[in-house]
Amino acid sequence: MNSQPHSSHLSTLFENIHQGDKQAFNEFYSCYASRLLNFAKQMLSDADTAEEIVSDLFVQIWTKRALIRDIQKPQLYLYKSLKNGCLNEIRKKVYASQAIDYELEERTAAQAPSPLDVLIDKELHAILTEAVNSLPMQRKVIFTLIREDGLKQKEVAELLDISLRTVENQLYRAVKYLSNYIEVYWKKEQSIMNKSDFKRFLLSLFW
């Protein structure tokens, strides 16, 4: 296993890479490739996509080496850049998941839709997406990582460099806000679902 360079050594590597030193870039790749790949795999649970994002990051470091001299904290920059790449991929999956709605159209005409079938439609997913997008940025990131990508709360705390308590509080506030947001929709459509069924539906969404 390659040892991770000290932050000062990494800064030196970045300085040498900035000057076009391929040997420094190779050393940098050797030290960080497997670590960054493992990190990306944790976020995405998709090895192929994780490899693509990590490869893109290394390509970016080399092709834009003229700019990396100004990076004050190279290690933090690496992980934040990778995290942002992974989050972009997660958002794509969230949007793609809306296609699941169309599976309802495959049901036979003789099958009467249940209250949940009625609610889980394009309109509700649009409301959910709107609600999530309206969350404060940190709360939105925490909710997305945990509820959409399946990361554990402790992993999210380590990734974002915040306390576990902060993650717990932000997740609680996100779920409470989203529940209230969607309940406004229920009040308009409550004729198709009683309140206890609606609450169970909310639990199925968030937990």
Side-chain angles (χ1 to χ4, degrees):
M1 180 180 295
N2 295 316
S3 60
Q4 183 174 340
H6 189 273
S7 59
S8 61
H9 180 54
L10 181 56
S11 295
T12 300
L13 287 177
F14 264 43
E15 173 63 28
N16 293 339
I17 292 171
H18 167 73
Q19 297 174 9
D21 187 337
K22 292 185 178 179
Q23 184 176 348
F25 179 80
N26 290 337
E27 181 180 350
F28 161 62
Y29 181 89
S30 178
C31 289
Y32 273 93
S34 62
R35 299 173 186 274
L36 293 174
L37 181 57
N38 288 336
F39 179 78
K41 285 179 179 178
Q42 277 192 322
M43 292 192 67
L44 295 175
S45 301
D46 181 342
D48 291 338
T49 304
E51 288 179 4
E52 289 179 7
I53 293 176
V54 171
S55 294
D56 288 345
L57 177 58
F58 279 105
V59 170
Q60 181 180 355
I61 292 293
W62 180 252
T63 58
K64 297 184 178 181
R65 58 187 179 277
L67 304 176
I68 66 174
R69 187 176 188 179
D70 297 328
I71 297 174
Q72 300 298 317
K73 298 179 179 180
Q75 182 165 283
L76 183 61
Y77 168 82
L78 287 176
Y79 282 95
K80 282 193 171 183
S81 296
L82 184 57
K83 178 192 69 177
N84 290 336
C86 291
L87 288 177
N88 287 336
E89 189 64 30
I90 291 169
R91 292 187 188 102
K92 291 178 184 178
K93 289 194 294 184
V94 172
Y95 297 145
S97 69
Q98 295 180 11
I100 295 175
D101 300 332
Y102 295 102
E103 292 180 5
L104 294 175
E105 298 175 3
E106 302 299 323
R107 299 179 185 231
T108 61
Q111 181 181 8
S114 70
L116 287 183
D117 293 334
V118 175
L119 275 180
I120 304 176
D121 58 11
K122 189 173 182 179
E123 181 180 359
L124 180 57
H125 275 276
I127 292 172
L128 281 170
T129 300
E130 179 182 287
V132 171
N133 287 337
S134 67
L135 289 169
M137 180 56 66
Q138 184 188 61
R139 201 168 298 170
K140 176 182 175 182
V141 169
I142 290 172
F143 179 84
T144 302
L145 286 173
I146 293 174
R147 296 302 172 212
E148 298 295 341
D149 201 47
L151 268 68
K152 297 178 180 179
Q153 294 182 18
K154 184 178 180 180
E155 293 173 332
V156 173
E158 292 175 356
L159 171 63
L160 302 181
D161 194 25
I162 57 179
S163 69
L164 179 59
R165 178 59 63 85
T166 297
V167 172
E168 293 171 345
N169 288 341
Q170 290 297 315
L171 180 61
Y172 170 79
R173 292 177 182 178
V175 171
K176 182 178 180 181
Y177 171 80
L178 294 174
S179 297
N180 291 337
Y181 196 105
I182 299 171
E183 190 165 5
V184 173
Y185 171 82
W186 170 78
K187 288 179 179 178
K188 296 178 182 178
E189 306 292 341
Q190 57 183 301
S191 60
I192 64 173
M193 177 180 284
N194 62 48
K195 192 165 186 178
S196 62
D197 285 341
F198 181 77
K199 292 297 184 181
R200 282 194 292 271
F201 173 69
L202 286 179
L203 288 175
S204 72
L205 285 176
F206 302 130
W207 302 104

